[in-house]
Amino acid sequence: MVIAAFAIIGPLILPDPAAQDLGRYLEAPSASEPLGRDDYGRSVLARLAHATRLSLVFAALCVGTALVLGTSAGIASAWFGGWADAALRGISEVFVALPALLVVLLFAALAADGSLWTLYIGLALVQWVEYFRVVRARSSLVLGSPAVEAASLLRLGPVHVLRRHLWPELRPLVTTLAALGMVTCILAVSTLGFIKVGLRPPRAELGLMVTEGFPFYDVAPWMSVAPVAVLFLITACFLGLRRSEVTT
């Protein structure tokens, strides 16, 4: 919640992350600038807030898309069976056969101008297969259970089956996958930014900030330590959510 509040409120009250003041080159942390300034005189705190918001919103968009597509396809595959199941399984096996990193890199290469949309499509396409396979496997078991057979005999309808039988079984699995998916997306975008394949400067992004801060680590360690610390905290938080969900 603290990280989310920082990502939401920070960009609203902090200065423009791209505003330069070369007279404040590598300014050390102070009361007015808790994380100092970078080599262009930009506020590291402001850039960190915008980069955190970008990572969380972008990851949520990718995970939400993959969740909806994968869960819907998994339920449909288990529900209808036959040719629909065979077709959806065939499509999923194609994506499983392709290395996930290769797919993301291909879409990142298409983003010559550092567009977020190509990265979004690549990450969503990589992740939907996980939801599909897990949801299909569990849905097949639930739909074949005596409780669902009894609901069908009583003609309670598909909405009743989804609400009372399928979703209670799928919710813990889907939320766990979503927590892991958030971590995967954030680290993937940061990794691409770190190797300068994904987003382009001067956009504030955690991986780019780490790369930009490395050459000045001797004199301005805060430039690279700050985004690394945020990445660590985000990863730990989402893994903690996953663990609590599994325990529950």
Side-chain angles (χ1 to χ4, degrees), residues 217-233:
Y217 186 80
D218 307 359
V219 295
W222 57 85
M223 287 179 55
S224 53
V225 169
V228 169
V230 170
L231 284 172
F232 173 80
L233 289 174

Side-chain angles (χ1 to χ4, degrees), residues 85-102:
D85 181 36
L88 289 171
R89 282 192 296 111
I91 295 172
S92 68
E93 288 169 1
V94 170
F95 282 94
V96 171
L98 294 173
L101 181 60
L102 176 61

Side-chain angles (χ1 to χ4, degrees), residues 18-229:
Q20 301 181 13
D21 186 353
L22 298 180
R24 305 177 71 177
Y25 171 83
L26 296 182
E27 184 179 282
S30 61
S32 59
E33 287 292 344
L35 295 178
R37 297 264 176 167
D38 65 6
D39 53 316
Y40 288 99
R42 299 173 298 189
S43 170
V44 175
L45 183 62
R47 290 181 63 76
L48 191 65
H50 283 79
T52 305
R53 182 180 65 177
L54 171 66
S55 295
L56 291 177
V57 172
F58 181 75
L61 183 61
C62 291
V63 169
T65 302
L67 188 153
V68 172
L69 290 177
T71 302
S72 302
I75 293 175
S77 180
W79 194 295
F80 297 108
W83 66 267
D85 181 36
L88 289 171
R89 282 192 296 111
I91 295 172
S92 68
E93 288 169 1
V94 170
F95 282 94
V96 171
L98 294 173
L101 181 60
L102 176 61
V103 175
V104 176
L105 285 175
L106 286 174
F107 277 90
L110 295 176
D113 57 347
S115 172
L116 280 172
W117 290 108
T118 50
L119 288 177
Y120 156 70
I121 295 172
L123 287 170
L125 287 177
V126 165
Q127 288 197 328
W128 80 273
V129 180
E130 300 176 5
Y131 296 91
F132 170 78
R133 292 164 68 90
V134 171
V135 169
R136 177 186 173 277
R138 181 56 65 91
S139 298
S140 297
L141 295 176
V142 174
L143 292 174
S145 65
V148 174
E149 292 181 3
S152 299
L153 291 174
L154 293 173
R155 297 182 180 179
L156 296 178
V159 175
H160 172 84
V161 173
L162 287 170
R163 182 171 59 88
R164 295 295 300 274
H165 300 287
L166 266 181
W167 181 241
E169 292 288 333
L170 296 177
R171 186 186 64 82
L173 299 175
V174 169
T175 51
T176 299
L177 287 176
L180 292 175
M182 289 290 291
V183 174
T184 301
C185 283
I186 291 172
L187 293 181
V189 174
S190 299
T191 301
L192 292 173
F194 180 77
I195 61 177
K196 297 184 178 180
V197 174
L199 303 180
R200 300 285 190 270
R203 188 189 294 272
E205 193 275 319
L206 294 174
L208 281 173
M209 290 183 66
V210 176
T211 302
E212 293 168 352
F214 266 178
F216 308 97
Y217 186 80
D218 307 359
V219 295
W222 57 85
M223 287 179 55
S224 53
V225 169
V228 169

